[in-house]
Amino acid sequence: MSELRQTAKVVFQPSGRRGTFAIGTPLLDAARSLGVYVESVCGGRGICGRCQVSVSEGQFAKEALTSAANHLDSETDAERRYRSLRSLDPARRLSCQAKILGDLVVDVPTEAQTNRQVVRKRAEARAIEPKPAISLVTVTLEEPSMETPRGDADRLREAVAGKIAADQIALDPTLLPQIQTILRKGSWTVTAALHHDGQHPSEIVALWPGKHSRAYGLAVDIGSTTIAAHLCDLATGRTVSSAGTSNPQIRFGEDLMSRVSYVQMNPTKLPDLTRTVREAINALVGKLVADVGAERADVLNAVFVGNPVMHHLFLGIDPVELGGAPFALAVSDALHLKARDLALELNPGATVYMVPCIAGHVGADAAAATLSEAPGRSEEITLLVDVGTNAEIILGNKNRLLAASSPTGPAFEGAEISSGQRAAPGAIERIRIDRETLEPRFKVIGLDEWSDEKGFADKIDQVGVTGICGSGIIEAVAEMYLCGLITEDGVINGAMMERTPRIVANGRTFSYVIASEGIDISILQTDIRAIQLAKAALYAGVKLLQDKLGTDRIDRIRLAGAFGSYIDPTYAMVLGLIPDCPLEGVAGVGNAAGTGARMALLNTDHRREVERTVRDIEKIETALEPKFQEHFVNAMALPNKVDPFPNLRAAVVLPESSGGASGGPEGGRRRRRREGR
């Protein structure tokens, strides 16, 4: 590090908060100044050990920095004392003691976060007829004799084959050392877990003495931000427990391309990305089985979905080829693997089904969501969108289905926004701006009350007001447009300074102040531009698919994923994030990818269905389409430069092109209540 350097850039994960600090600033002070709430109860004396953090090392191209452990000063006496008295991971530091010497990417472990990210990936209600790949078969063997010298394993296979009328049964080799002990312990009666998916030879993958009735399966959606896992009873089809966690790969890059870039610049770190996601899944499995009083050995089958980069990293495949055209997948078809080969702590013989990917940036998660929402079974033209760092788009009906992806970036998740953060307690998730006074009122995650309601001031210290998350930034920009604070081109109207002190000059541009107590939370011109770029990319992708399909009509829109479920459809349409459609036809469908994963887990017919869909769906590469730029430029306007949005205008009074104020999704609030929205 140069001795002349006075400041350093620090990025905290998984919150994504970042800032520039003077050399010598304690890491805990830096975190708290950004609203990153790291737990500490000893007043920074290095006694409690609650403020542990770790440094992610390597080159981070997106952040334009190189992070290294030696960019923190050396251990203090307090840290050495704590390490001598208690267990402290060698890779961790106490943030109250460590001082900044250079650029850093800092990972705040889950146990040290006081405002943890909200993982919104519950299991959606869905009745699924069980036809799993695993079944339990109980058989009784004859005891061995001198007259019948057949091996115990061979006689077991024959007994199970006879029970299910199969020609041939295979045996997982991990059972061979145990089989004689298990048979004798069960007095020659045993229960075999049989894997049979209709495509491969049936195989005995687990064995218990006597009768055994517990057989569970695991369905996992690996998102770039969060991981959701569901434990299902394979006999009944019931989801018995669900859990979620932040994807720990965030420390290597906030979005997909950042992680691809990280691997490209730090190729020896690929195993670290694979290991961290597998460890997170193993931790979730431990929680799931504990919830129902089961054991890891009771989990016999697992299904995984994820976008192509997550898919590859989970499998230990270098994703660098996905970073540029032609975005080649190492493998796209469905895979049948052993859990032990993926270092998954399930039954030693447990099997894994990887849902197929559609294209280079339309992954198994989109395939699973398509399975769940079934646009290919309906006459209605359906738009299915999973809004993430890389939007995955499906459009069509029973006659034709098309798929594409569009690079929206991480703005919708709070990144690239000046006061942005991920969904966590303290984040503004809803906002309304009074049409007359231009005063905001907002709701934060963790509190039921709005900021102008009784009780908010008394309770806000519980979580603080720490930033604004994706749903909040969408509503903020849409509300500013509807109030006339920004023009249809997304420019903050400086003339509004005459009407409200919340419009503040920032050099040649302006900003709108939402909150100024504690952390200043404002919407800057650069924030609006980041949202415009993100929403225009998504909208242009949809328009390309409409061009290919030969229609401007969309009958229904389904917003998948955690983010899609928490954004207000009306505001999304006002912003121009989604195309015009009857508002009653727009709905969030929650974790549709997770639902599709559970369907594939519980019924092998659904595996064949999703494989057919992936084969038949038409893939459109937006980067190769000449009209993408034209659609993109038009979509930069609010809601769009050329598309008229008749359904939206029938429900919401939009500003004139001159930027005059008007009503909004609340329709003066009375319309909103009347419609029961």
Side-chain angles (χ1 to χ4, degrees), residues 158-483:
E158 291 170 357
V160 172
K163 187 76 174 278
I164 65 169
D167 293 332
Q168 191 173 9
I169 298 290
L171 182 74
D172 189 291
T174 61
L175 291 173
L176 286 173
Q178 313 165 48
I179 196 165
Q180 290 190 308
T181 301
I182 294 172
L183 283 166
R184 284 154 182 79
K185 187 175 181 179
S187 300
W188 304 102
T189 295
V190 293
T191 299
L194 193 66
H195 179 268
H196 48 98
D197 64 355
Q199 285 192 325
H200 300 84
S202 297
E203 181 184 32
I204 299 171
V205 296
L207 195 65
W208 296 270
K211 293 185 177 180
H212 186 87
S213 59
R214 289 200 303 200
Y216 292 108
L218 183 71
V220 182
D221 173 19
I222 306 174
S224 56
T225 306
T226 57
I227 303 171
H230 310 286
L231 188 69
C232 301
D233 186 316
L234 294 178
T236 65
R238 191 167 64 93
T239 300
V240 296
S241 184
S242 296
T245 187
S246 298
N247 187 331
Q249 289 179 346
I250 286 174
R251 73 185 70 154
F252 303 108
E254 284 184 313
D255 55 45
L256 300 177
M257 288 301 99
S258 294
R259 285 176 220 177
V260 172
S261 173
Y262 181 84
V263 174
Q264 189 170 23
M265 300 181 74
N266 307 276
T268 61
K269 299 288 188 179
L270 172 61
D272 293 345
L273 277 80
T274 299
R275 175 180 50 78
T276 55
V277 72
R278 291 177 180 178
E279 287 177 349
I281 291 166
N282 283 330
L284 284 177
V285 172
K287 183 181 186 304
L288 292 172
V289 296
D291 285 347
V292 298
E295 299 176 357
R296 291 178 183 270
D298 294 323
V299 183
L300 300 163
N301 192 215
V303 171
F304 289 88
V305 301
N307 60 62
V309 175
M310 294 301 98
H311 172 278
H312 278 38
L313 288 175
F314 171 66
L315 294 174
I317 300 172
D318 190 330
V320 167
E321 291 297 328
L322 295 171
F327 311 107
L329 289 153
V331 59
S332 57
D333 288 349
L335 296 175
H336 300 264
L337 307 167
K338 287 292 187 179
R340 60 178 179 263
D341 294 333
L342 301 174
L344 297 177
E345 296 170 2
L346 312 179
N347 188 289
T351 52
V352 168
Y353 176 77
M354 299 293 298
V355 172
C357 292
I358 296 175
H361 281 294
V362 189
D365 52 351
T370 305
L371 174 66
S372 171
E373 296 308 307
R377 296 183 187 175
S378 173
E379 292 282 357
E380 292 184 307
I381 295 177
T382 299
L383 171 65
L384 173 63
V385 181
D386 190 337
V387 184
T389 54
N390 190 71
E392 295 171 312
I393 309 165
I394 308 293
L395 180 70
N397 61 5
K398 63 186 297 183
N399 300 319
R400 190 181 178 197
L401 276 181
L402 299 96
S405 66
S406 212
T408 51
F412 292 139
E413 295 183 349
E416 299 180 349
I417 304 300
S418 60
S419 298
Q421 68 168 88
R422 291 192 167 84
I428 294 173
E429 62 172 344
R430 295 278 180 261
I431 186 168
R432 302 289 182 267
I433 301 175
D434 188 277
R435 301 297 185 259
E436 298 300 325
T437 67
L438 303 179
E439 282 295 299
R441 62 188 186 95
F442 53 83
K443 185 178 180 299
V444 301
I445 297 173
L447 291 185
D448 294 329
E449 293 83 5
W450 284 69
S451 60
D452 62 343
E453 292 179 346
K454 183 179 179 181
F456 179 86
D458 297 330
K459 297 179 180 179
I460 190 57
D461 285 344
Q462 298 173 12
V463 294
V465 182
T466 58
I468 186 165
C469 66
S471 61
I473 191 68
I474 282 179
E475 293 193 3
V477 175
E479 279 279 297
M480 290 174 70
Y481 169 62
L482 293 167
C483 289

Side-chain angles (χ1 to χ4, degrees), residues 527-647:
D527 299 335
I528 294 172
R529 184 50 52 93
I531 292 297
Q532 285 179 284
L533 291 169
K535 72 99 174 179
L538 193 157
Y539 196 95
V542 174
K543 290 292 291 183
L544 279 178
L545 294 192
Q546 286 185 286
D547 291 347
K548 296 291 183 182
L549 201 60
T551 182
D552 290 328
R553 187 183 108 234
I554 293 179
D555 298 311
R556 59 177 188 164
I557 298 175
R558 295 295 180 259
L559 302 172
F563 178 70
S565 298
Y566 282 83
I567 58 175
D568 186 305
T570 306
Y571 283 109
M573 201 174 289
V574 168
L575 193 69
L577 175 66
I578 55 176
D580 191 57
C581 172
L583 283 170
E584 62 273 15
V586 186
V589 291
N591 185 16
T595 301
R598 287 188 294 130
M599 292 170 67
L601 171 70
L602 293 169
N603 192 311
T604 54
D605 289 344
H606 288 313
R607 299 185 184 187
R608 306 294 87 79
E609 180 182 354
V610 74
E611 289 163 7
R612 286 194 302 272
T613 299
V614 169
R615 281 196 302 269
D616 296 342
I617 202 166
E618 296 177 49
K619 296 86 172 176
I620 307 300
E621 181 48 65
T622 56
L624 302 179
E625 295 295 329
K627 287 200 71 175
F628 181 86
Q629 189 64 24
E630 177 186 336
H631 289 315
F632 181 85
V633 170
N634 290 334
M636 284 291 288
L638 303 177
N640 193 278
K641 188 175 182 179
V642 295
D643 290 347
F645 281 77
N647 289 290

